[in-house]
Amino acid sequence: MINKIFSLFWSTRAALVLLVLIFLSCVVGASLPSDVGKEAVFSSVWFNLLLVLLIVNIVFCTFKRIKILRLSLIGTTIFHLSLILLFAGIVYDQLFFLKEQSVLPKGKL
């Protein structure tokens, strides 16, 4: 059972499915009014879970195929590591930052 779970994380097909699900979620969230779309899709736990699963999948796929001594793969490795950092930053921002607004009176800056 554990081998099947790990093989799912090593799979590029799982990454493709996750990317399609995230894309469709973004389309739905962007088509809704801004406040509703942000709360219903972009700030939801399930959307962040999809992003976390994609991060884990990219980490597994990257480290599975990494060859340190081959210089021809450095560009691909840097690209995948930047995707990992990008998605991790999005999830961190959604989960740990306050979403408050401050209202300034007219003429005060």
Side-chain angles (χ1 to χ4, degrees):
M1 180 69 179
I2 293 176
N3 288 337
K4 286 188 178 187
I5 292 173
F6 278 117
S7 67
L8 179 67
F9 284 127
W10 295 88
S11 170
T12 54
R13 288 183 184 174
L16 185 63
V17 168
L18 288 169
L19 282 171
V20 168
L21 288 174
I22 290 170
F23 173 74
L24 292 175
S25 301
C26 287
V27 168
V28 170
S31 65
L32 296 172
S34 64
D35 291 340
V36 176
K38 186 175 181 182
E39 291 299 318
V41 177
F42 300 117
S43 295
S44 65
V45 174
W46 61 267
F47 186 74
N48 287 314
L49 180 66
L50 285 175
L51 290 175
V52 168
L53 288 174
L54 183 64
I55 291 169
V56 170
N57 187 280
I58 292 173
V59 167
F60 274 78
C61 287
T62 300
F63 289 119
K64 174 184 176 184
R65 292 173 176 84
I66 194 169
K67 306 265 192 271
I68 295 174
L69 298 177
R70 292 186 58 188
L71 292 176
S72 63
L73 295 178
I74 284 182
T76 305
T77 304
I78 290 173
F79 173 75
H80 285 93
L81 291 176
S82 67
L83 279 178
I84 292 166
L85 289 174
L86 176 73
F87 288 131
I90 291 169
V91 170
Y92 181 79
D93 180 54
Q94 289 294 323
L95 295 177
F96 299 112
F97 280 98
L98 295 175
K99 296 172 179 63
E100 299 292 324
Q101 290 181 336
S102 61
V103 179
L104 296 173
K106 187 175 182 178
K108 303 281 184 176
L109 184 64

